Amino acid sequence: GVVAAEAAASSPRPQGGRHVSSGRGSRAQLLFPPSFCCLHAEDDRVLRRTLPLRTFKKVGVAYDQVEDGAAAVEAVLRDMGKYNLVLMDNQMPLMSGTQATRALREAGYTGTIIGMTGD
């Protein structure tokens, strides 16, 4: 299944997006539109817990998680406009990240897909 979570940014939000400091003592800022959402496809339980804490929550980005490539394809195709970014592990059960990426492209998904692997 899909586990949904939305993190609240610790910095004030300007109108039109999430506003978050990009680092310790840095004055650089990141801006995400309120509707920005990421799908994280990962079968490793530890990475499903740690990656969101280090990335999505840190910058105030909404995200969903799935455990395999087939579930990633299903989640994206259920609502084609929801995900701006898909972070896809390569080696997953049922359908690999490569197979899932091909299926998404063939179905017309044009968003950004970033492949990840521990190899």
Side-chain angles (χ1 to χ4, degrees), residues 4 20 23 46 51 59 70 90 101:
V20 181
V46 173
L51 186 89
V59 296
N90 187 40
T101 297

Side-chain angles (χ1 to χ4, degrees), residues 4 11 22 27 43 46 54 70 73 76-77 92 105 108 119:
S11 301
S22 64
R27 295 201 183 271
D43 64 318
V46 173
R54 293 182 178 171
V73 171
V76 172
L77 296 183
M92 294 183 288
R105 293 300 186 216
D119 294 344

Side-chain angles (χ1 to χ4, degrees), residues 41-109:
E42 173 63 63
D43 64 318
D44 184 281
R45 187 177 62 196
V46 173
L47 288 175
R48 276 197 319 272
R49 290 182 56 134
T50 58
L51 186 89
L53 293 174
R54 293 182 178 171
T55 55
F56 311 135
K57 286 186 177 186
K58 196 174 216 174
V59 296
V61 169
Y63 66 95
D64 294 335
Q65 293 184 304
V66 294
E67 297 180 8
D68 61 66
V73 171
E74 179 184 325
V76 172
L77 296 183
R78 190 176 318 121
D79 186 354
M80 272 296 232
K82 181 176 182 178
Y83 298 108
N84 305 91
L85 172 66
V86 177
L87 293 178
M88 184 90 67
D89 183 29
N90 187 40
Q91 296 182 8
M92 294 183 288
L94 301 181
M95 182 183 281
S96 73
T98 302
Q99 293 167 325
T101 297
R102 283 190 186 118
L104 289 172
R105 293 300 186 216
E106 288 172 2
Y109 178 72

